[in-house]
Amino acid sequence: MHDIRSVRADPAAFDAAMVRRGLPPVAERLMTLDATARATQTKLQELQTRRNETAKLVGMAKRQGQDSTGLEAAGRAIAVEMAALEESLPQQQRSLRDILETLPNILDPDVPDGADESANVVLHQHGEPPRQNFAPKQHFEIGEALGLMDFAGAAKLAGARFTVLRGALARLERALGQWMLTLHTERHGYAETAVPYLVSAATMYGTGQLPKFEEDLFRTTDGRYLIPTAEVPLTNLVRDDIIVEAALPLRFAALSPCFRSEAGSAGRDTRGMLRQHQFQKVEMVSITRPQDSAAEHERMTECAERVLTELGLTWRRIVLCAGDTGFGAAKTYDLEVWLPGQGAWREISSCSTCRDFQGRRMNARMKPVEGKGNVFVHTLNGSGVAVGRALIAVLETHQQADGSVVLPEVLRPWMGGLERIVAA
C-alpha cells in the first residue's frame, strides 16, 4: 500500500516508479481523487462548525424569548448538506483506496530494468553442473522407477497437480522439511512457529494477496482462504501492533503446506512435482527496523543458500528485474538450482524485501527509542526452501547409473541412517 502523501510530494517520481513496473502513469488520477475527498472533508468540518454555531444561536434565542424559526431552518439545511457529504466521503475515499491497494511496491533503485525474466541478472554461482557418465533422468522418471512416486494414484484422489509419495521418498520429504526447519531455528536464529493454514480475508489483504490475486487462492465456503505460503500468517502476526524498537528484528520460521490454484499455469510443468496445488515449504519471515531491512535481505538469502550448499546442490543467486519482481516486493533474489534431468536451472527459493509496503497495509508500526512518532516496520520473506523442489533437486543431482539415489550426509540422521534409496 502506498501513502498518498508521497504521491502528492513527487507525482513525477511516483509515475516513473509505476512505469518501471510496466504500468501507465497514475499520479494525476490519484491526486484528483485525493483532492476531491479532502475538499469534502474540509467542507464537512466547515459545516460542522456552522451547525454548532447555529445550535448555540438557537439556544440563545429561545432563552431570550426570541423567534428561532429561521435559525432552526438554517440548522436543518446544514444537516441535510452534511448528510449528503457524509454519504459521499466514504465512497470518495474508497475510490482512492481501490487504486492504491492494487498498485505494486516501488522498486529499489538497484533492481535492474527489464520486462521479463530474460533481463534477470546472475550475481554468483555455487558449483558447476555435475558431469554424469550416464543420461540423467528427470525426477518423476526416477521416482516412478523406484516405485515410490505415484501420479496416477494422486490423480484418482484429487485430480491433476498432486503427487503421492511412498516409503523412502515420503520419509525424504519429511526429513527435508524437518532438517531445514531445525537448521533455521537452531543455527539461523528464527523462532519456530506453527500457524493456521486457513486465514481471514484481512490476513490475505495484509500481505498483498487480496484483492489483486484472489484467483490464485483457494477459498472455503465460510470465507476463509487456504494459505499459499506461511509468509501470510507469519507476517500478519504483527498486524495492528506497535512494536518497541528494541524488540526488533523479529524472525519467524514455519514448515507448512501451501495451497495454490496455479491459475494461468495451464500447460506449464504438467509432469512431475514442479508445480503443484499442494506442497510443503519452510518459510522465513523477518520484521525489522527500516534502516536494517537491506542487511536483513542479504542475511535471509544466505540462510536459504546454506540449505542448498549442505544438500550438495549446484545453485546460483539471481536478482530479479523490474518486470519479474513480485507485486509486494521492492527487491527479490531468486535462488535457482541446477536439475541434471531437465538440463536446466529452476527456481527453488525467492527472498524478498517488501520495505514498508506490507507494514502499511497491516498498520504494523515501530515505536522508536528516539524521536517522536511511530513508523511502519519493514517486512521480508524467503523460502528456506520449498520442500518438494528440494526433493526434486536431491533426486536429480544425486541419482546413480543403477537408478538408486545417494542421500546427502546431512539428511541421513533424519532418514534413520539410510545412505541410499533403492527400488522398493
Side-chain angles (χ1 to χ4, degrees), residues 269-287:
D269 301 316
T270 54
R271 293 202 65 185
M273 294 177 56
L274 270 167
R275 198 177 295 274
Q276 301 272 276
H277 289 311
Q278 173 187 314
F279 58 94
Q280 297 278 329
K281 181 158 65 79
V282 174
E283 185 73 6
M284 304 174 290
V285 162
S286 296
I287 314 297

Side-chain angles (χ1 to χ4, degrees), residues 342-396:
Q342 285 198 13
W345 296 97
R346 298 304 299 260
E347 176 204 335
I348 196 169
S349 172
S350 282
C351 297
S352 299
T353 174
C354 300
R355 301 181 67 80
D356 67 354
F357 187 79
Q358 292 178 330
R360 191 177 300 279
R361 293 176 79 96
M362 297 185 301
N363 193 34
R365 292 155 291 166
M366 178 192 81
K367 183 178 180 60
V369 172
E370 298 181 357
K372 296 181 179 180
N374 300 323
V375 297
F376 291 107
V377 298
H378 281 202
T379 63
L380 303 95
N381 62 82
S383 307
V385 297
V387 176
R389 293 201 173 194
L391 185 147
I392 290 169
V394 166
L395 291 182
E396 295 199 13

Side-chain angles (χ1 to χ4, degrees), residues 1 3 6 9 16 21 36 40 156 158 252 263 275 299 321 340 351 358 390 392 423:
M1 178 69 79
D3 187 346
S6 67
R21 287 282 202 165
T36 299
T40 300
K156 179 171 64 176
F252 307 117
R275 198 177 295 274
R299 180 191 186 277
C321 72
C351 297
Q358 292 178 330
I392 290 169

